[in-house]
Amino acid sequence: MPRHLLLMSLAPLLGLALLGIGNAMLTSLVPLRLSAAGVSSEAIGLISSAYYLGLGLGALVNDRLLLRIGHIRAYAGFASLVAVAALAMGLGDHPVVWFLLRMMIGWSLVGVYLVIESWLLSAADPAVRGRLLALYMIVLYGAGVLGQLLLGVTAMLSLEAAFMLVAMLAAASVLPLVLLPRVSPLIEQSEPLSPWRLIRITPTGVFGCLASGLVVAVLYSLLPLALGEGGVLDTAEIGQRMALVILGGMLLQYPIGRWSDSHDRQQVLIILSVAIIGFAALLMGSAREGIAQLTVLFLLGGAAFTLYPVAVSHAADRAPAGALVRMSQGLLLINAVGSTLSPPAVSLPMAEMGAMPGMALSLAVMGGGMLAFFVWRRVMRPAPQPLAPFETHAPQTPLGTELAVGPELVEAAEEHLRDAEVNDPLVEVTRELAVDMPELITEASLDSLEEIETHEGESQRQTPRHGEASDGRNAD
């Protein structure tokens, strides 16, 4: 990667690292602190879902705010709100207040991600976007792992001091963007495709992204609560196991992604579903402690965190060339919907059966539903062959999806569209998209239309009208 690109990306990536560490600590800290305060599992599930509700709402509206006030001021504002909310959590543990604070943190964090991703997008040439996206993912997952490993530090602190540490990291994340050289990225507003159009294009991709949100939200929000059941593990050990889950998702992204490039992606999704069922069953049985539990958690993280990029890659294999970004935005919001729904739903069996059995059973049920749907879709309509190399996707903001839409993917989508049959429903969807996407008409096409109109006008002026001579005099 060019040195100048690394220098331009240094500020946003440093800010992302600091804020990501604090957010990872907060993700596990919230359910553990609420549980210690005697809050019910149902309330903890609702509070956890508020974070993902804030992410979804922020993904819809924060781009407008960013365009109005600018990147540096927007980042400072969003990071300040994260710090304020973290400090407010240290003042008490009322469930309703924490619900609102978690939603505010989700709304603010997606604004922070929007600033960082647009910064990277403006700095990157299309030829190096893949490498820049990989670096972005490494920083994102690495911060998550480090934040979980530092969770043990909070066990030695008071409730107020633990949240003060998170607030300090959020405030410090502003400094790299303020002090280091900056750019002025541009953001183009666009609306995601409607769910109905997405379902018509790629039912498997839509369901895969929804299922990914369901599973990953449970791991982030409720797995710390399940690991802490009975007081067998202390806070530091819970953080280490959560770090192992994220590390599995980070390290298995590439091998599973490359595997999906050489195989039917529907088949890969089916195998991932079976893996989630099996690992959930092991957590209820023989893998409840020791090395067995560590191994299962690592592999479960790999299976869960790769669901989203494989599902998006499958959807991209079916997408029209001009709708790749809009389609990815729609899939991102569907993923946020799944993340919002699962924590309160899974908290019910956790309260009835116990934290770990209830959570593991819920994951197995989710995996069973995924397996049934993916097998049904494979029977009804086999998946297309992978058209472009697998790219990792960070489900953070709609703008971030543009990092993954490179020339190879666009070219592959155009080739697929040219080869599509006339009666393919995708062609009809593409026609509908063309009505709503006037930006797809390129400047070259407009120039061609103007040349045609100019040529026709000159021809009409040069051609004598009926009944007139060529020199303009009246005919005899």
Side-chain angles (χ1 to χ4, degrees):
M1 186 178 296
R3 183 172 177 271
H4 74 279
L5 184 57
L6 286 175
L7 292 176
M8 293 182 69
S9 306
L10 181 61
L13 291 178
L14 282 176
L16 174 65
L18 292 172
L19 194 64
I21 292 172
N23 184 50
M25 295 171 61
L26 197 61
T27 300
S28 296
L29 193 61
V30 167
L32 293 177
R33 294 289 186 176
L34 289 174
S35 178
V39 179
S40 65
S41 298
E42 295 88 343
I44 293 175
L46 287 171
I47 293 171
S48 299
S49 70
Y51 171 76
Y52 299 100
L53 178 61
L55 284 178
L57 294 175
L60 289 173
V61 302
N62 281 352
D63 58 336
R64 298 173 179 84
L65 179 62
L66 179 56
L67 287 172
R68 192 158 55 244
I69 66 176
H71 284 70
I72 303 301
R73 287 197 297 166
Y75 186 96
F78 290 133
S80 298
L81 285 176
V82 174
V84 168
L87 290 172
M89 285 181 170
L91 300 178
D93 51 21
H94 193 282
V96 175
V97 176
W98 276 45
F99 180 91
L100 297 175
L101 292 174
R102 283 300 281 160
M103 186 167 64
M104 185 171 75
I105 290 175
W107 183 84
S108 302
L109 277 173
V110 81
V112 167
Y113 295 137
L114 182 65
V115 172
I116 294 173
E117 290 170 1
S118 62
W119 191 306
L120 296 176
L121 191 63
S122 67
D125 184 86
V128 296
R129 278 186 181 177
R131 283 171 284 174
L132 190 60
L133 179 63
L135 185 60
Y136 175 76
M137 293 292 293
I138 291 172
V139 172
L140 188 66
Y141 282 120
V145 171
L146 186 57
Q148 296 294 342
L149 291 176
L150 293 176
L151 193 63
V153 177
T154 64
M156 300 181 291
L157 304 174
S158 64
L159 176 64
E160 295 80 5
F163 289 103
M164 285 174 61
L165 180 58
V166 175
M168 288 167 59
L169 289 169
S173 71
V174 179
L175 297 178
L177 282 83
V178 173
L179 299 179
L180 295 179
R182 44 179 132 159
V183 293
S184 298
L186 298 176
I187 295 181
E188 295 182 2
Q189 296 187 29
S190 61
E191 296 296 328
L193 293 180
S194 66
W196 173 240
R197 286 185 176 179
L198 284 172
I199 292 173
R200 293 179 66 187
I201 295 175
T202 172
T204 298
V206 169
F207 189 82
C209 290
L210 178 67
S212 169
L214 294 171
V215 173
V216 172
V218 170
L219 294 181
Y220 267 133
S221 303
L222 300 179
L223 181 57
L225 193 62
L227 291 172
E229 185 181 24
V232 178
L233 301 176
D234 59 25
T235 302
E237 291 172 325
I238 293 173
Q240 292 167 6
R241 281 158 175 75
M242 289 299 300
L244 198 61
V245 173
I246 301 173
L247 186 64
M250 177 180 176
L251 296 181
L252 295 181
Q253 286 276 338
Y254 185 84
I256 292 179
R258 290 307 177 193
W259 176 39
S260 73
D261 280 343
S262 58
H263 293 77
D264 184 343
R265 296 200 209 273
Q266 281 184 341
Q267 181 182 359
V268 175
L269 290 171
I270 290 172
I271 294 175
L272 291 177
S273 303
V274 173
I276 290 174
I277 296 173
F279 297 143
L282 289 174
L283 286 177
M284 288 188 291
S286 60
R288 302 197 63 171
E289 59 184 13
I291 298 299
Q293 186 188 64
L294 298 178
T295 304
V296 168
L297 290 176
F298 178 85
L299 296 175
L300 177 61
F305 280 82
T306 52
L307 270 175
Y308 181 81
V310 172
V312 171
S313 297
H314 170 86
D317 292 338
R318 292 289 300 160
L324 286 170
V325 174
R326 295 180 66 202
M327 182 200 69
S328 297
Q329 292 177 5
L331 294 176
L332 172 69
L333 295 177
I334 289 173
N335 180 264
V337 170
S339 300
T340 304
L341 296 176
S342 60
V346 174
S347 64
L348 297 176
M350 290 177 67
E352 294 293 330
M353 303 173 56
M356 181 59 78
M359 188 209 69
L361 178 61
S362 300
L363 288 177
V365 171
M366 293 177 192
M370 291 158 49
L371 177 62
F373 183 88
F374 293 144
V375 169
W376 171 67
R377 285 305 305 170
R378 182 173 171 81
V379 172
M380 294 295 296
R381 187 173 187 182
Q385 290 298 316
L387 297 175
F390 174 88
E391 292 284 355
T392 55
H393 294 258
Q396 299 295 344
T397 72
L399 186 66
T401 60
E402 295 188 34
L403 286 170
V405 180
E408 290 180 322
L409 189 57
V410 174
E411 182 180 353
E414 291 174 344
E415 180 181 354
H416 171 77
L417 194 59
R418 288 194 297 267
D419 296 339
E421 297 178 356
V422 176
N423 58 353
D424 193 326
L426 180 60
V427 176
E428 181 181 351
V429 174
T430 306
R431 295 195 190 100
E432 296 176 0
L433 289 173
V435 175
D436 298 333
M437 297 179 65
E439 66 270 18
L440 294 180
I441 303 177
T442 62
E443 294 182 0
S445 300
L446 293 174
D447 292 341
S448 299
L449 290 173
E450 292 175 358
E451 291 177 3
I452 293 173
E453 293 174 354
T454 303
H455 178 72
E456 289 179 351
E458 292 177 353
S459 300
Q460 292 177 356
R461 288 191 298 269
Q462 294 175 1
T463 303
R465 297 179 181 177
H466 180 69
E468 293 183 354
S470 59
D471 60 357
R473 293 174 297 181
N474 294 335
D476 292 335

